[in-house]
Amino acid sequence: MTDGSHESHGQVPSRQRRRFPGISSRAYEHPADRSALVALRKLSGFDTVFKALSGLLPERSLRLLFLSDSVRVSDAQFTHLNDMLRDACYILDLEKVPPMYVSQNPQPNAMCIGLDEPIIVVTTGLVELLDEEEMRAVVGHEVGHALSGHAVYRTILLFLTNLALKVAWIPLGNVAIMAIVTALREWFRKSELSADRAGLLVGQDLRASMRGLMKIAGGNHLHEMNVDAFLAQADEYEKAGDLRDSVLKIMNVLPRSHPFTTVRAAELKKWSETRDYQRIMDGHYPRRDEDKDTSVTDAFKESASHYADSVRSSKDPLMKLVGDIAGGAGDLGGKLRDKFTGAAGGAKGPGAGGGDATDGSQQSRREGPEGPAASPAGS
């Protein structure tokens, strides 16, 4: 899959695609999405804020705003989007088709919000940027948010983000709000990975999903872009640099509501090649009528297992160090010092040894300062 050019979609609207009757959102939800949501709900003060905001958020006002100042998708307006919306709800077996609006904004974006019932909003910038099949994946992405119940938390995130700006001048008034906003953003970034999977289940065209993500990153210049090269960027990003770069990655992503586009593309392609995805396409998937019997403990174990596998397979320097710590590797103080200072470890240093035991002379030389040097691990 190396093409970057537009392909003929003459047969696309009528092509056969699988439908998933009664599918549960558990079928496509990313383990990190579920574990981040569990962590969010355990955050001190979140339940209180959630209950209070559920009764205070001006949802009727929000709906009236889009009704009065956006174009509602229907059989009479943006009919091609209306067909895609109904099609996505049919594929994922969403019982009630949510209202959808097109809002004038050159920034390509889409969102699913609402407390009682979800509503989907797409911007004109996105509609103008994507072709039919790329847009189908986006619509499926938003319907996936609706099926997963993400709209409620997304709405609260929008409200709290605006509130944080208004109370920023109050001493300490912003601290509690920003703690919840940060946790919500962390969850929402993970939820985007789940929704990308839902978009693929609806569109059932990995190339279209990849093209859409490339366009969001680089604009409508597909003839200048290449899927393989785009995915190579994600690989380079993951393994680039030392621990200092890992810290910078964390700092860069914290203010964002979405994961980086190359990362999303790589995650989606990886999932499309798994047995889990193939089983869904073969009709074997969790169903909604089984949700009530689902074990929370099992879900947590699955998420923990996913994180453990991610740490083991990650090429990121920080994740490698976490793996060393979890594996009981020795001389962590020396590793931290060398990683952060960029010191060359020699043939048997961290770069060459990958966390393995060093020779006796190296060990004895570092025994003295090991305690003080190890302090950054806990800071």
Side-chain angles (χ1 to χ4, degrees):
M1 183 175 53
T2 60
D3 60 27
S5 58
H6 283 284
E7 296 179 356
S8 171
H9 297 298
Q11 301 179 21
V12 163
S14 60
R15 66 183 170 88
Q16 292 295 316
R17 278 175 292 129
R18 295 188 181 274
R19 183 172 180 255
F20 309 102
I23 190 171
S24 167
S25 60
R26 291 182 292 116
Y28 59 81
E29 283 175 345
H30 195 285
D33 173 8
R34 289 197 293 272
S35 58
L37 191 54
V38 168
L40 172 66
R41 288 168 176 163
K42 289 184 177 181
L43 183 67
S44 176
F46 178 75
D47 284 343
T48 302
V49 171
F50 179 78
K51 290 175 183 177
L53 289 178
S54 295
L56 293 176
L57 284 177
E59 183 170 11
R60 290 180 62 85
S61 174
L62 191 66
R63 292 177 181 275
L64 287 172
L65 175 64
F66 288 114
L67 188 62
S68 63
D69 205 33
S70 299
V71 176
R72 184 165 59 190
V73 171
S74 67
D75 289 330
Q77 301 183 119
F78 288 101
T79 55
H80 72 294
L81 293 180
N82 192 48
D83 290 342
M84 288 182 196
L85 176 62
R86 292 193 299 188
D87 177 69
C89 292
Y90 176 75
I91 294 290
L92 294 180
D93 199 17
L94 190 65
E95 295 180 0
K96 186 174 181 180
V97 178
M100 182 175 181
Y101 294 90
V102 176
S103 179
Q104 170 61 28
N105 188 331
Q107 181 72 27
N109 197 13
M111 60 182 175
C112 180
I113 55 177
L115 295 178
D116 297 329
E117 295 181 356
I119 62 174
I120 295 172
V121 181
V122 297
T123 65
T124 52
L126 189 68
V127 175
E128 293 164 3
L129 177 66
L130 304 182
D131 70 20
E132 181 177 350
E133 286 304 289
E134 294 156 9
M135 194 68 200
R136 189 184 301 278
V138 169
V139 173
H141 174 112
E142 298 306 326
V143 170
H145 276 312
L147 182 58
S148 290
H150 291 162
V152 173
Y153 297 99
R154 172 63 166 164
T155 305
I156 292 176
L157 174 59
L158 286 173
F159 179 81
L160 288 179
T161 301
N162 292 332
L163 181 62
L165 295 174
K166 293 178 181 178
V167 301
W169 59 274
I170 303 176
L172 299 181
N174 197 32
V175 175
I177 294 175
M178 284 311 301
I180 295 177
V181 167
T182 300
L184 273 166
R185 280 179 177 157
E186 171 61 17
W187 159 75
F188 193 76
R189 285 191 293 270
K190 306 305 184 187
S191 75
E192 286 295 293
L193 302 178
S194 297
D196 283 342
R197 295 177 174 186
L200 179 59
L201 291 177
V202 168
Q204 297 174 27
D205 184 346
L206 181 62
R207 291 176 297 179
S209 294
M210 295 291 107
R211 290 198 311 268
L213 289 169
M214 283 198 305
K215 282 185 175 181
I216 291 172
N220 194 13
H221 303 282
L222 278 178
H223 62 287
E224 298 284 355
M225 293 185 277
N226 178 285
V227 172
D228 290 338
F230 188 67
L231 291 171
Q233 290 180 224
D235 186 63
E236 182 179 347
Y237 170 79
E238 182 183 3
K239 64 184 180 183
D242 53 23
L243 284 181
R244 292 168 295 184
D245 293 295
S246 297
V247 173
L248 290 175
K249 292 177 189 177
I250 295 172
M251 299 302 293
N252 285 339
V253 80
L254 280 178
R256 296 173 59 92
S257 61
H258 288 60
F260 292 118
T261 319
T262 58
V263 174
R264 291 173 62 184
E267 283 281 341
L268 185 60
K269 184 173 185 296
K270 186 188 305 181
W271 184 67
S272 73
E273 297 168 347
T274 63
R275 178 168 174 76
D276 288 341
Y277 173 73
Q278 190 56 54
R279 283 181 57 80
I280 295 174
M281 296 304 295
D282 290 340
H284 305 293
Y285 49 81
R287 284 169 164 77
R288 261 168 266 165
D289 56 12
E290 303 167 350
D291 284 350
K292 62 182 182 299
D293 301 321
T294 303
S295 168
V296 176
T297 302
D298 289 344
F300 182 79
K301 287 180 179 177
E302 182 184 354
S303 299
S305 175
H306 164 77
Y307 271 114
D309 290 340
S310 297
V311 169
R312 282 193 295 268
S313 61
S314 177
K315 301 171 186 176
D316 183 88
L318 182 57
M319 289 299 101
K320 286 182 178 179
L321 182 61
V322 171
D324 285 349
I325 295 173
D331 195 24
L332 293 177
K335 289 180 182 293
L336 279 166
R337 183 187 64 236
D338 291 347
K339 290 285 189 181
F340 273 109
T341 59
K348 296 181 180 179
D356 295 336
T358 56
D359 60 58
S361 60
Q362 212 172 10
Q363 182 67 25
S364 62
R365 176 165 47 86
R366 286 180 176 164
E367 275 180 353
E370 183 175 353
S375 60
S379 60

